[in-house]
Amino acid sequence: MKFVIIGAGAVGLLTACLLKKAGNEVQLITRRQEQAELINEQGVLYGETQYMIAATTDWNSIPTEAYTIVAVKYDGLKNVFPRFHHQAIANPIIFLQNGMLHIEAIAKLPQTNIAAGSVEHGVVKLHDNEIRHTGHGVYKFALLKGDESVFKPLLSLPGIRTEWHTDADQLLFRKVLLNTLINPLTALTGLKNGELLTNPYAFGLMKNLYSELSEAFPGMATLLPFEEVKALCESTANNTSSMLADRLAGRAMELDTIILYTLNRAPIELPLLRSFYHLLKSTEV
Ligand SMILES: NC(=O)C1=CN([C@@H]2O[C@H](COP(=O)(O)OP(=O)(O)OC[C@H]3O[C@@H](n4cnc5c(N)ncnc54)[C@H](OP(=O)(O)O)[C@@H]3O)[C@@H](O)[C@H]2O)C=CC1
Ligand SMILES: CC(C)(CO)C(=O)C(=O)O
């Protein structure tokens, strides 16, 4: 199968390497020319292996039949969405962002077949062509529009754990809740995901936040049992969450698409989460 990945960050590079390892034809679309040149010259370094993957900044090189995976952050979508109105029109598209603020805009895109994915891996970008896979997990997909059979081949990619979900809102909101419970706490404390379980103060805050969310969302215990939050912290124990990675790098954090989205979706006020939001927002002013 052919895949094009837009965004050669932590998740984009990991996905490219896993797909290449599984025997697929893979191409990366970078934002910066120098990153494309580095990847073309030196490949992508993942573990002990160097993956030679073609990289370009040119969207015209996207083959019509390629699955096009969007792995930029929420903030990067403002430059990607306008392009999709003119390019990759016939391609099946898969969006991998955390958060949900972008979902409404996706419905307005001209592409017929669009899916969303929830990534439960931990991965850190060390250099423009090097990643560290800090937590092995699963890619979960659901249909946003079109024909789900178009995406079903994604469920039999050798060596890549994937699941298909029938309810996109449930799948994505569950991930929003996971990120709401993990990411702000890591970004505020500087702790790795696994340390949220071993640091008693951070763990206490996570439990309190879970209780606050459970009051707002009565289906919480079924949609996301606390054990599953702990399991994700464990499976990605050595990961620097994407929000902490952004904070450390001085980049905009995905605060609105994750935390503000949760605050706005809750039918009641969430004082603890609101405080986390304001504390993190205050660092970006
Ligand atoms: N890291 C993780 O462990 C996980 C992350 N996620 C989610 O996955 C998404 C991606 O995160 P992550 O990979 O960590 O983020 P990164 O910041 O590592 O990567 C984002 C990449 O997108 C690129 N980009 C931005 N705009 C464009 C554009 N217009 N065209 C092409 N490329 C562009 C950036 O390029 P440049 O460097 O030039 O700015 C950067 O390489 C986020 O929504 C995150 O929340 C989900 C699960 C785990
Ligand atoms: C899966 C997890 C929590 C991994 O850190 C993530 O989604 C992120 O960092 O944004």
Side-chain angles (χ1 to χ4, degrees), residues 78 103 143 151 174 245 254:
K78 62 179 182 298
I103 300 302
L143 190 71
F151 296 100
R174 180 181 174 280
E254 292 179 307

Side-chain angles (χ1 to χ4, degrees), residues 38-281:
L38 177 72
I39 291 172
N40 287 327
E41 279 162 24
Q42 298 182 15
V44 179
L45 308 176
Y46 166 34
E48 301 297 303
T49 312
Q50 176 192 34
Y51 290 88
M52 294 314 295
I53 296 173
T56 176
T57 55
D58 179 12
W59 280 56
N60 289 320
S61 67
I62 299 178
T64 350
E65 68 280 23
Y67 288 96
T68 301
I69 299 180
V70 184
V72 309
K73 288 222 162 86
Y74 173 72
D75 207 36
L77 289 175
K78 62 179 182 298
N79 298 317
V80 167
F81 279 139
R83 283 180 171 264
F84 272 133
H85 283 278
H86 308 286
Q87 285 166 296
I89 297 290
N91 295 68
I93 316 283
I94 302 142
F95 285 89
L96 291 185
Q97 291 63 40
N98 282 333
M100 283 182 78
L101 275 189
H102 58 297
I103 300 302
E104 242 180 76
I106 289 177
K108 296 185 191 128
L109 292 177
Q111 284 74 13
T112 310
N113 297 303
I114 304 185
S118 151
V119 181
E120 293 192 9
H121 286 259
V123 56
V124 179
K125 191 181 96 174
L126 303 175
H127 299 290
D128 265 351
N129 70 330
E130 184 173 10
I131 46 165
R132 185 187 299 138
H133 195 180
T134 47
H136 291 253
V138 57
Y139 288 80
K140 298 178 176 175
F141 301 107
L143 190 71
L144 291 176
K145 70 187 231 199
D147 175 2
E148 70 175 44
S149 69
V150 168
F151 296 100
K152 287 295 170 78
L154 300 182
L155 303 184
S156 43
L157 293 163
I160 307 180
R161 278 177 60 209
T162 49
E163 286 175 11
W164 185 259
H165 287 248
T166 48
D167 187 331
D169 181 71
Q170 223 180 60
L171 172 70
L172 296 176
F173 187 50
R174 180 181 174 280
K175 185 72 197 302
V176 165
L177 290 170
L178 275 167
N179 289 121
T180 297
L181 284 154
I182 296 173
N183 294 23
L185 267 172
T186 58
L188 283 166
T189 59
L191 295 173
K192 292 198 187 295
N193 294 359
E195 292 171 325
L196 295 181
L197 304 179
T198 55
N199 180 306
Y201 298 98
F203 187 61
L205 281 169
M206 193 162 73
K207 277 202 301 197
N208 291 346
L209 183 56
Y210 186 87
S211 302
E212 186 176 84
L213 291 168
S214 301
E215 274 185 43
F217 305 109
M220 179 97 179
T222 316
L223 182 63
L224 181 61
F226 191 61
E227 287 310 309
E228 291 182 13
V229 183
K230 290 204 299 187
L232 186 60
C233 289
E234 265 156 23
S235 66
T236 62
N238 290 321
N239 203 41
T240 301
S241 80
S242 56
M243 199 174 272
L244 175 57
D246 282 339
R247 183 164 184 198
L248 293 173
R251 293 187 298 251
M253 292 175 273
E254 292 179 307
L255 300 177
D256 290 353
T257 192
I258 295 173
I259 313 179
L260 186 61
Y261 179 85
T262 305
L263 287 167
N264 288 343
R265 185 156 166 161
I268 55 171
E269 187 46 38
L270 304 173
L272 184 57
L273 185 60
R274 175 83 56 189
S275 305
F276 290 176
Y277 178 65
H278 286 186
L279 282 166
L280 288 167
K281 274 300 225 195

